[in-house]
Amino acid sequence: MDVVDPSTGTRIETYEEHTEGDVTEALDRATETFDDWRTRSVRDREQLLATAGEVLRDNKREYAETMTREMGKPITQAIAEVEKCAWVCDHYAEYASTYLDSDPHPSPPGSTVETEYEPLGPVLAVMPWNFPFWQVFRFAAPYLTAGNVGLLKHASNVPGCALAIEDVFREAGYPEGVFQSLLIPSDLVDDIIADDRVRGATLTGSGPAGRAVAATAGEHLKKTVLELGGSDPFIVLDDADIGSAAETGAWARNLNGGQSCIAAKRFIVHTDVYDDFLDAFVDEIDSFVVGDPMDEKTDIGPQARQDLMEELHEQVAESVDAGATVVTGGEPIDREGVFYPPTILTDIPEGCPVDSDETFGPVATVYEVADEDEAVSKANDTNFGLGASIWTENRDRGKRIASRIDAGCVYVNQLVKSDPRAPFGGVKDSGYGRELSEAGIKEFVNRKTVWVE
């Protein structure tokens, strides 16, 4: 696996892929380790997770620089990502025991009925490059603490991150085999899921990848959780605080170079405030610094790979040819590296690529709508259903509209984000299942009913 620094286009590292024999050994190790790991008390597992959080904090600059070199995330955002991983470790170190406590149920006199939560076994995680630490810890912190063991198939452009995460758990004192990174191509994933030693799979990624994992897992009756793409609406109503909406919206679209499933992508603005919002939105976006991701003043670094930037620009170009108007940006930046500028498009023709497909980069589409009902209709006019953001000074109005939005999570006067304290996941083509909070730790467990007479 060759690692190419997207800010320069230079190959900076090469890693040897694991062989099929290595995978077999890893599966054997995971199975053997699980037999002991599942018997450890939750409190023991919580203490190890707390130590993993400490390891992350102690080495956050090193891990952040690995992210930045491999996929171009600006260094300040990379440091924040490591800190967020430590936070999710803290959360489950504190709350896992509570989440996993047995639940009592009504029962006849003289009997007790409870649901116990027991781990399933080895779980395969297929994870993306865009948040190369957070996506992994979002699954690992709860699933390992519930008593499962993890196998990570990370994206092929972030192998250094994959191995660094494995080192975090090793340094924290986890037994060998509780968490293993597999540097393998995607064509080995189906065989791993089909293997009897693997009891479940979770994937964060594209729709086609999710369908492939779900199909194989379904054939073998394996549990899956899928967090797929998104085309999140950002609704600005006539009573919104325009300054706050524009400032937050600009960041919600361009954080991580716009390479986020939950980025705000379709800005749906009430006609009464459309011009004011667009002006403020353009000002905010034009203020961002695009440049060297190792420079702490940089807001937006390179796109992660050349082919991804080319695909994004093709979506923009086809949409402009169909009639969309470029307000700012719209062309790759003529400099070393894979850089694309923050871009705003208006007058979006229905069905063009930026209207109907997910755009995975710093490209915002802005729509003008006449009223609240049209805003909701446009927000729901997508195959995706991951997140949504609504902006209004009337909190009751925001909550009422939130109930009409087809999405796994809706935020009022806030950007869409994942938080250890709240369940996270999507509907429709954005996947199924939930991560984080109590819901997340209970995805890969046996909810065993125990009736004692």
Side-chain angles (χ1 to χ4, degrees):
M1 290 184 179
D2 291 331
V3 175
V4 175
D5 183 341
S7 69
T8 63
T10 302
R11 186 178 68 182
I12 57 174
E13 190 68 77
T14 299
Y15 292 82
E16 290 294 324
E17 288 186 349
H18 289 132
T19 66
E20 292 188 28
D22 294 330
V23 173
T24 297
E25 291 179 6
L27 290 172
D28 285 340
R29 191 178 304 117
T31 303
E32 293 168 6
T33 301
F34 174 64
D35 288 339
D36 176 67
W37 181 245
R38 67 184 303 178
T39 66
R40 298 278 288 268
S41 70
V42 177
R43 186 61 194 139
D44 283 349
R45 298 195 292 257
E46 287 175 330
Q47 290 172 341
L48 284 168
L49 188 62
T51 303
E54 294 171 3
V55 173
L56 285 163
R57 290 189 178 93
D58 289 345
N59 301 282
K60 64 183 178 182
R61 182 77 192 195
E62 174 189 344
Y63 300 144
E65 289 181 354
T66 299
M67 270 189 268
T68 299
R69 286 193 301 269
E70 292 194 329
M71 53 72 61
K73 188 187 302 287
I75 188 65
T76 55
Q77 296 173 40
I79 291 171
E81 181 170 332
V82 179
E83 291 172 340
K84 189 172 183 178
C85 293
W87 179 26
V88 80
C89 291
D90 294 345
H91 179 80
Y92 283 106
E94 182 175 357
Y95 291 105
S97 294
T98 301
Y99 290 154
L100 296 170
D101 271 349
S102 298
D103 290 329
H105 305 288
S107 59
S111 65
T112 60
V113 180
E114 294 183 330
T115 296
E116 297 181 353
Y117 300 97
E118 298 180 348
L120 296 182
V123 176
L124 174 68
V126 182
M127 292 290 116
W129 48 263
N130 58 331
F131 291 92
F133 268 65
W134 171 244
Q135 303 282 15
V136 176
F137 276 89
R138 197 167 74 186
F139 99 82
Y143 298 169
L144 302 187
T145 311
N148 298 294
V149 297
L151 298 154
L152 171 64
K153 188 281 181 225
H154 218 325
S156 59
N157 59 330
V158 289
C161 291
L163 296 179
I165 294 167
E166 187 178 64
D167 285 341
V168 171
F169 288 108
R170 183 180 297 113
E171 188 172 338
Y174 279 72
E176 185 179 6
V178 171
F179 181 93
Q180 299 177 82
S181 288
L182 303 175
L183 303 186
I184 57 173
S186 296
D187 57 13
L188 293 184
V189 168
D190 279 356
D191 289 342
I192 295 174
I193 295 173
D195 193 287
D196 288 342
R197 290 165 289 190
V198 172
R199 301 312 311 152
T202 180
L203 174 140
T204 298
S206 69
R211 288 182 174 88
V213 165
T216 302
E219 181 181 351
H220 296 276
L221 298 179
K222 306 283 181 73
K223 174 67 186 290
T224 53
V225 169
L226 303 180
E227 194 264 279
L228 307 178
S231 187
D232 286 8
F234 189 100
I235 300 172
V236 182
L237 297 173
D238 52 323
D239 63 346
D241 180 329
I242 298 305
S244 294
E247 181 180 3
T248 302
W251 192 237
R253 172 63 278 198
N254 290 283
L255 175 69
N256 199 40
Q259 300 165 121
S260 171
C261 296
I262 56 172
K265 292 167 186 169
R266 296 176 299 132
F267 291 79
I268 301 167
V269 186
H270 194 287
T271 187
D272 289 354
V273 296
Y274 178 84
D275 290 337
D276 289 343
F277 174 81
L278 185 58
D279 288 345
F281 192 45
V282 172
D283 288 344
E284 290 289 343
I285 281 180
D286 284 347
S287 72
F288 290 143
V289 175
V290 181
D292 179 0
M294 284 294 185
D295 187 336
E296 294 191 357
K297 296 179 181 178
T298 294
D299 298 306
I300 301 175
Q303 300 296 279
R305 297 198 313 259
Q306 179 72 30
D307 62 310
L308 297 171
M309 191 269 284
E310 291 173 353
E311 179 181 343
L312 177 70
H313 183 56
E314 183 177 337
Q315 291 175 302
V316 171
E318 288 183 11
S319 299
V320 171
D321 288 344
T325 299
V326 177
V327 177
T328 187
E331 291 287 344
I333 299 175
D334 184 15
R335 59 171 291 171
E336 183 182 55
V338 189
F339 288 87
Y340 203 83
T343 296
I344 299 174
L345 301 177
T346 59
D347 307 316
I348 312 300
E350 184 175 352
C352 73
V354 299
D355 179 60
S356 58
D357 300 337
E358 179 179 27
T359 50
F360 216 66
V363 175
T365 55
V366 186
Y367 301 82
E368 183 174 358
V369 294
D371 53 36
E372 179 182 305
D373 288 340
E374 188 179 350
V376 171
S377 177
K378 184 60 186 176
N380 290 336
D381 185 22
T382 175
N383 293 328
F384 297 103
L386 191 52
S389 183
I390 300 168
W391 288 77
T392 171
E393 289 282 73
N394 186 327
R395 297 176 67 183
D396 290 337
R397 183 188 190 192
K399 188 173 182 181
R400 173 172 51 78
I401 295 173
S403 68
R404 302 175 61 192
I405 302 298
D406 299 330
C409 50
V410 181
Y411 284 73
V412 179
N413 298 325
Q414 180 59 274
L415 56 79
V416 178
K417 56 188 176 182
S418 55
D419 184 303
R421 299 164 294 188
F424 177 82
V427 295
K428 300 194 288 187
D429 285 1
S430 292
Y432 53 75
R434 290 294 178 265
E435 297 177 303
L436 302 175
S437 189
E438 182 174 359
I441 201 171
K442 288 181 175 177
E443 283 286 5
F444 287 93
V445 295
N446 173 22
R447 300 165 183 255
K448 179 187 286 185
T449 298
V450 178
W451 184 304
V452 179
E453 193 72 27

